[in-house]
């Protein structure tokens, strides 16, 4: 592979401004002088004041995209470098991923060339490597089950069967479930021996299925005898979870026989702690290919998670094909130097796109359903709508000043305007197509991070506020979301959203599910207002957060440091009063992808914290054990 002709080094220093200073150095390793060029880079540590940079000319910024030019007349001969500093930063850099994620130069002739971008270095302080985050662990019972069951009374055997097969007379539905479990295991572990067979196997063990209506939804019981194993269940989900537990037991005993055993006798009685056991995936910041989404669903099913919250749109891209508006997945997905959307979050000179066709969606939803997973789609409105407004500029108030407000991520005027009637016509067509694609009872509409001050410079919005007798951004947002809720109700869907949906008067709590992400106390406040709540606080369940304080630990840090031990130990119910606990529906992991520029980053940040959340969602508090979890979790599949 040819070496890059240009390299960018970047260093953060705590000196030189309220939030420190970035020093950037561009090296020219090409064989020609470099002059009359511009340097663009993307970073989450954004530059604010154009006047506070030295030895460079500020050109423009859009959210995480920054562009500078060298001083007039500067020319870099081969082997020379240009250094400049930026001192007006919106926050302190705390970790190596807070620097430039990507860079490119634009030559005098308009060509764009990628620049190799180094790690962000730390000036004047020790740059510690990340610590070991997972202990070796300890097992009191030698069984590889995750999440751990509600009740377990097993005796380990000396060996293990070659495979488990259906007992004579097994009904067709249970044989089909066994086939589903076979295929599921093979996809997750292509080189491992499948724990199940559909025909009797020498040295195998028979598996008898018993439908038992008295068991709770999603519950199962396993009884291990000398001649056969009995799996009791009351619904398809419980049957599949029982098969998953058997697959884990047999796979663990086979892969690490000195550590894990297969039961010789005893029983398991198991059911989930919460009905909502979710994992959210943001595919707007970084596109995730269909094959990877399908594998993630397989991993969720292995961990007995039953909700896939699919974050399909945001400022950075609109990823869902809507046939009424094809421009959403042409203009609204392309990021690049000359594309409708500027590079962000690790994009460079080459344009990037990606979206899911409606056929892709049908395949993903069907795959999830076969594994007992409900797909809850999200289009993020009214905020986080830069990509939508780029694709459909007529949805903006043309009289509104171009940069009258900015989102927390730095996007200007990024919220759909509640005063423009065509906004609702647009969303009606979007919802009509979504309800055909997604059978979930919920449609998630975001509702988060609308900047205070949004729409206040819009003459149309001011006229609407006067007409409705309301004032301020959040009263307008409430007006908007109430109309959206009515539109969803008309289509037989319930509204799900982030906790800010309750701002400004909120919406009717009836048939509304909100996700508490800003801090744990928000969930209790929402429940007091009558909303059903899913707990997904950034301080424990956001899997983009750093796992250690060390500089070289990757990830975001706005919600603090979230090591796996903290994620595992966190109790989402917290101080929920007993009378409100019926409104707390469950917990959810959130995968936000600002920092996920590679599969390695994904796996490092998601695991083992995703299995930790799965155990918190399933296992009773009294049965949780961090050291046992640490001993078993290395067996977990990754993306």
């Amino acid at each position: 592979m040819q070496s890059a002709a240009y390299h960018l080094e970047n260093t953060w220093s705590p000196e030189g401004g309220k939030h420190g200073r970035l020093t950037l150095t561009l090296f020219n390793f090409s064989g020609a002088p470099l002059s009359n060029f511009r340097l663009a880079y993307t970073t989450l540590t954004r530059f604010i004041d154009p006047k506070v940079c030295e030895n460079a000319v500020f050109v423009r910024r859009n959210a995480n995209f920054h562009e500078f030019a060298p001083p007039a007349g500067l020319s870099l001969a081969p082997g020379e470098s240009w250094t400049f500093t930026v001192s007006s930063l919106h926050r302190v850099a705390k970790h190596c991923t807070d620097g430039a994620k990507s860079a490119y130069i634009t030559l005098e002739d308009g060509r764009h060339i990628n620049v190799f971008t180094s790690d962000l270095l730390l000036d004047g302080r020790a740059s510690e490597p990340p610590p070991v985050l997972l202990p070796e662990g300890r097992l009191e019972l030698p069984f590889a089950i995750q999440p751990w069951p509600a009740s377990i009374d097993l005796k380990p055997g000396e060996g293990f069967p070659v495979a488990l097969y259906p007992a004579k007379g097994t009904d067709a539905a249970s044989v089909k479930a066994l086939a589903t479990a076979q295929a599921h295991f093979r996809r997750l572990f292509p080189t491992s021996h499948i724990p199940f067979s559909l025909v009797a196997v020498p040295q195998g063990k028979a598996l008898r299925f018993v439908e038992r209506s008295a068991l709770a939804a999603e519950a199962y019981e396993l009884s291990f005898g000398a001649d056969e194993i009995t799996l009791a269940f009351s619904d398809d989900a419980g049957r599949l979870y029982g098969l998953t537990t058997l697959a884990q037991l047999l796979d663990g005993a086979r892969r690490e026989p000195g550590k894990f055993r297969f039961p010789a006798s005893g029983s398991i009685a198991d059911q989930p702690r919460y009905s909502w056991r979710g994992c959210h995936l943001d595919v707007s910041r970084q596109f995730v290919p269909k094959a990877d989404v399908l594998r993630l669903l397989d991993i969720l099913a292995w961990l007995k998670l039953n909700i896939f919250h699919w974050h399909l749109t945001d400022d950075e891209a609109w990823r869902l094909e809507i046939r009424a508006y094809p421009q959403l997945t042409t203009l609204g997905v392309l990021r690049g130097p000359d594309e409708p959307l500027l590079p962000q979050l690790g994009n460079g000179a080459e344009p990037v796109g990606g979206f899911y066709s409606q056929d892709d969606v049908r395949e993903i939803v069907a795959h999830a359903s076969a594994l007992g997973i409900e797909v809850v789609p999200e289009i993020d409105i009214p905020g986080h709508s830069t990509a939508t407004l780029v694709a459909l500029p007529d949805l903006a108030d043309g009289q509104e000043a171009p940069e009258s407000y900015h989102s927390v991520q730095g996007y200007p005027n990024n919220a759909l305007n509640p005063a423009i009637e065509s906004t609702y016509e647009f969303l009606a067509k979007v919802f009509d197509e979504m309800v055909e694609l997604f059978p979930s009872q919920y449609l998630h509409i975001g509702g988060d991070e609308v900047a205070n001050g949004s729409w206040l410079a819009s003459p149309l919005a001011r006229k609407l506020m006067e007409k409705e007798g309301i004032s301020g951004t959040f009263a307008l947002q409430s007006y908007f979301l109430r109309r959206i809720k009515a539109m969803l109700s008309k289509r037989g869907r319930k509204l799900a959203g982030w906790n800010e949906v309750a701002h400004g008067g909120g919406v009717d709590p009836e048939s509304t599910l909100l996700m508490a992400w800003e801090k744990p106390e928000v969930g209790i406040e929402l429940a007091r207002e009558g909303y059903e709540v899913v707990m997904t606080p950034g301080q424990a369940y956001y899997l983009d957060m750093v796992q250690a304080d060390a500089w070289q630990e990757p990830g975001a840090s706005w919600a603090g440091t979230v090591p796996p031990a903290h994620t595992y130990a966190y109790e989402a119910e917290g101080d929920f009063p007993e009378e409100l606990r019926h409104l707390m529906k469950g917990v959810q992991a959130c995968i936000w992808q600002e920092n996920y520029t590679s599969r390695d980053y994904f796996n490092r940040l998601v695991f083992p914290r995703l299995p930790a959340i799965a155990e918190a969602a399933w296992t009773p508090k009294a049965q949780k054990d961090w050291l046992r979890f640490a001993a078993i979790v290395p067996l977990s599949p990754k993306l």
Side-chain angles (χ1 to χ4, degrees):
M1 183 176 179
Q2 188 174 2
S3 298
Y6 308 99
H7 281 230
L8 181 68
E9 296 288 340
N10 57 143
T11 302
W12 180 80
S13 169
E15 310 299 327
K18 178 183 177 183
H19 294 140
R21 177 181 66 237
L22 281 175
T23 300
L24 299 106
T25 303
L26 176 69
F27 288 83
N28 177 13
F29 295 125
S30 74
L34 181 63
S35 58
N36 297 319
F37 66 94
R38 299 189 307 276
L39 171 69
Y41 63 90
T42 67
T43 179
L44 290 162
T45 305
R46 295 185 290 277
F47 173 62
I48 298 173
D49 187 346
K51 298 186 294 295
V52 191
C53 63
E54 297 179 12
N55 201 35
V57 178
F58 171 75
V59 178
R60 57 178 171 162
R61 179 177 77 83
N62 179 267
N64 308 290
F65 172 88
H66 302 70
E67 190 171 30
F68 292 87
L74 184 142
S75 179
L76 295 181
E80 290 186 340
S81 63
W82 161 52
T83 298
F84 67 100
T85 61
V86 174
S87 298
S88 177
L89 306 177
H90 87 292
R91 64 171 188 175
V92 168
K94 295 182 177 180
H95 296 274
C96 60
T97 42
D98 288 334
K101 294 187 178 301
S102 60
Y104 66 88
I105 59 169
T106 300
L107 301 177
E108 189 173 14
D109 62 7
R111 287 182 296 138
H112 309 291
I113 300 178
N114 274 326
V115 172
F116 175 85
T117 307
S118 186
D119 289 338
L120 179 64
L121 301 177
L122 176 62
D123 184 30
R125 295 185 186 177
S127 178
E128 316 93 342
V132 174
L133 296 166
L134 195 68
E136 183 177 342
R138 178 193 66 237
L139 290 171
E140 294 182 4
L141 295 172
F143 303 115
I145 309 173
Q146 211 155 58
W148 195 253
S151 174
I152 182 169
D153 182 16
L154 298 176
K155 292 184 179 179
E158 290 303 317
F160 49 83
V162 171
L164 309 179
Y165 59 87
K168 187 175 181 179
T170 297
D171 62 288
S174 293
V175 174
K176 184 178 180 181
L178 202 60
T180 297
Q182 269 189 328
H184 180 212
F185 184 88
R186 170 56 58 83
R187 292 191 303 269
L188 286 173
F189 306 102
T191 63
S192 296
H193 193 284
I194 298 175
F196 305 116
S197 170
L198 301 185
V199 297
V201 180
Q203 299 177 292
K205 189 170 248 188
L207 176 59
R208 187 169 301 281
F209 295 85
V210 176
E211 189 167 355
R212 193 172 294 160
S213 59
L215 289 176
E218 300 187 287
Y220 67 91
E221 292 180 355
L222 289 168
S223 299
F224 295 83
D227 299 321
E228 67 179 22
I229 299 166
T230 300
L231 166 55
F233 59 93
S234 66
D235 59 11
D236 291 344
R239 177 168 52 197
L240 192 59
Y241 294 146
L243 290 171
T244 301
T245 294
L246 288 170
Q248 291 176 348
L249 282 166
L250 189 45
D251 180 58
R254 181 176 283 122
R255 286 165 63 185
E256 294 193 42
K259 184 176 183 181
F260 300 110
R261 311 272 284 280
F262 193 79
S265 62
S267 63
I268 292 173
D270 201 11
Q271 67 183 71
R273 182 178 183 183
Y274 298 117
S275 61
W276 187 288
R277 306 181 302 282
C279 178
H280 155 287
L281 178 67
D282 156 33
V283 296
S284 178
R285 275 54 179 264
Q286 311 286 355
F287 181 67
V288 178
K290 180 180 68 174
D292 288 349
V293 175
L294 293 171
R295 179 166 177 85
L296 179 62
L297 289 169
D298 284 337
I299 293 169
L300 301 189
W302 186 253
L303 298 171
K304 301 186 176 79
L305 294 167
N306 66 343
I307 301 289
F308 176 52
H309 173 177
W310 201 5
H311 186 89
L312 289 159
T313 76
D314 215 296
D315 289 304
E316 290 81 4
W318 179 291
R319 303 293 190 188
L320 173 65
E321 180 191 14
I322 300 295
R323 289 173 177 167
Y325 297 96
Q327 58 270 54
L328 288 169
T329 46
T330 54
L331 301 176
V333 297
L334 284 174
R335 300 202 297 253
D338 301 315
E339 302 302 332
L341 296 164
L342 286 170
Q344 301 285 348
L345 303 171
N347 305 140
E350 292 86 13
V352 296
F355 68 93
Y356 305 96
S357 71
Q358 294 200 358
D359 285 342
D360 290 337
V361 170
R362 291 187 186 95
E363 181 181 346
I364 288 167
V365 169
H367 188 84
S369 179
L371 296 169
I373 296 171
E374 178 181 344
V375 179
V376 176
E378 178 185 355
I379 58 163
D380 204 346
I381 55 174
H384 289 283
S385 292
T386 296
T388 308
L389 292 166
V390 166
L392 302 170
D394 289 346
L395 296 183
D397 181 353
Q399 302 176 79
E400 186 178 49
E403 300 214 13
S404 56
Y405 63 91
H406 289 80
S407 73
V408 67
Q409 287 84 12
Y411 287 95
N413 296 38
N414 75 328
L416 295 178
N417 195 317
I420 296 176
E421 200 60 28
S422 57
T423 294
Y424 304 98
E425 297 169 8
F426 157 66
L427 291 171
K429 293 179 181 179
V430 170
F431 294 153
D432 284 342
E433 296 193 29
M434 290 182 73
V435 297
E436 292 297 320
L437 292 169
F438 298 98
S440 172
Q441 62 180 318
Y442 291 103
L443 201 158
H444 200 294
I445 51 76
D448 62 314
E449 294 188 325
V450 172
N452 194 6
S454 298
W455 311 308
L456 300 187
S458 161
L460 291 174
R462 291 203 305 269
K463 183 177 179 181
L464 176 63
M465 286 191 287
E466 183 178 349
K467 176 187 173 185
E468 295 292 327
I470 58 178
S471 62
T473 293
F474 300 117
L476 269 176
Q477 174 178 287
S478 177
Y479 167 88
F480 172 85
L481 292 176
R482 287 176 183 178
R483 290 190 62 174
I484 297 304
K485 182 173 173 63
M487 293 166 68
L488 295 180
S489 297
K490 182 180 177 181
R491 290 161 175 81
R493 295 296 190 269
K494 297 179 181 180
L495 184 150
W498 302 106
N499 55 245
E500 295 98 318
V501 167
H503 290 180
V507 300
D508 183 356
E510 181 70 25
S511 298
T512 300
L513 177 77
L514 299 186
M515 297 179 175
W517 69 273
E518 288 182 286
K519 55 183 178 180
E521 295 80 7
V522 168
I524 298 173
E525 295 166 11
L526 293 172
R528 290 194 193 283
E529 294 176 37
Y531 294 104
E532 291 187 333
V533 179
V534 170
M535 296 295 287
T536 179
Q539 296 80 4
Y541 289 168
Y542 268 37
L543 302 187
D544 56 322
M545 291 298 116
V546 293
Q547 300 179 84
D549 292 332
W551 175 265
Q552 293 175 28
E553 180 70 24
S557 57
W558 62 262
T561 301
V562 186
H566 172 68
T567 296
Y568 184 83
Y570 178 74
E571 278 296 306
E573 287 182 14
D575 298 320
F576 257 80
E578 190 64 38
E579 67 273 15
L580 297 178
R581 287 193 179 180
H582 67 286
L583 292 170
M584 194 275 207
K585 295 302 177 183
V587 301
Q588 180 169 289
C590 282
I591 300 173
W592 297 101
Q593 296 214 84
E594 285 91 339
N595 287 297
Y596 288 36
T597 53
S598 70
R599 185 183 296 254
D600 286 341
Y601 268 131
F602 187 100
N603 284 330
R604 177 168 176 167
L605 287 164
V606 170
F607 301 99
R609 291 185 296 182
L610 180 60
I613 296 168
E615 189 142 310
W618 184 279
T619 307
K621 178 181 179 181
Q623 303 302 322
K624 290 168 66 175
D625 182 325
W626 164 242
L627 290 177
R628 180 195 64 224
F629 170 86
I632 299 171
V633 77
L635 295 174
S636 179
K638 296 183 179 181
L639 196 65

